[in-house]
Each structure stands twice: as structure tokens, then as C-alpha cells.
Amino acid sequence: QVQLVESGGGLVQPGGSLTLSCVASGSIFSIRVMGWYRQAPGKQRELVASITRGGNTNYADSVKGRFTISRDNVKNTGYLQMNSLKPDDTAVYYCNNHPPCGSWGQGTQVTVSS
């Protein structure tokens, strides 16, 4: 099973941008649908965006128009470009298959605050 490691989080002011990366230990081509998820304190983990092997994307309504998911099947890396960040985007962000399978990584913390 391919292991996924997230990075790129940090502290950003409202309206700012971040790009998260998800590096795979092997070929991500084996991941038919890749998803980015997030879990805010006291809330359930939710799917933020997904992308198929062929590049078709879907987004949660809360991030549509602000986030962009992509994947590089050659570099074995997935990305989540996040623009116009809001305090409600504060969460730990994870990547996984969609639907998720296997264990979750440690995720990367995104904090949006002035």
C-alpha cells in the first residue's frame, strides 16, 4: 500500500494562500481517486476535494472557487492550492484515497488567524 505524507501547512492571515503537498512512497497512479480531507477541533473529518487519476475534480461547497486540487502522477505528488483562506478553514489536513483506506498520516496543520 502506498504511504502518503502531507506537508505545507502553517499559520496564515485571512485572505492568504497556502499550497499543501502529499508525497507518495510509491506510484500514485495506483490511487484511482485521491482526496484531501480536513478535521477541525471538535468536528468530524470531512472531504474537501478529490481528483481522479484522469484529472476530474470535485470540491466541497465550502471551498469551491477557492481551493484547487491537482496531482502529478510522474512526481507521485498531490497538491491542494488554497486561496482566500478563512478562519473556518483552520484544521488538520490529510490526503488519502477516496473513499479513504488504510491508516491516516499525521496530516498538516493549517491555521488561519490574524
Side-chain angles (χ1 to χ4, degrees):
Q1 183 179 346
V2 173
Q3 301 298 313
L4 302 172
V5 178
E6 307 90 347
S7 65
L11 173 64
V12 63
Q13 291 187 342
S17 299
L18 281 174
T19 299
L20 307 183
S21 298
C22 173
V23 178
S25 61
S27 173
I28 66 168
F29 195 76
S30 64
I31 300 175
R32 191 180 70 82
V33 184
M34 173 180 282
W36 278 97
Y37 303 78
R38 67 186 181 187
Q39 187 167 21
K43 295 187 178 181
Q44 289 190 337
R45 188 156 18 211
E46 63 173 347
L47 177 68
V48 172
S50 64
I51 184 168
T52 68
R53 187 182 291 147
N56 293 318
T57 59
N58 274 293
Y59 298 91
D61 287 344
S62 59
V63 307
K64 204 169 291 183
R66 301 188 297 120
F67 289 11
T68 302
I69 188 172
S70 61
R71 61 190 284 174
D72 187 328
N73 293 330
V74 174
K75 294 183 178 180
N76 295 319
T77 303
Y79 303 96
L80 186 68
Q81 171 70 43
M82 306 185 296
N83 298 325
S84 302
L85 283 162
K86 305 175 181 179
D88 284 350
D89 296 318
T90 295
V92 179
Y93 285 71
Y94 305 86
C95 58
N96 202 324
N97 292 263
H98 177 59
C101 69
S103 59
W104 292 91
Q106 293 197 348
T108 186
Q109 175 71 48
V110 173
T111 303
V112 184
S113 175
S114 54

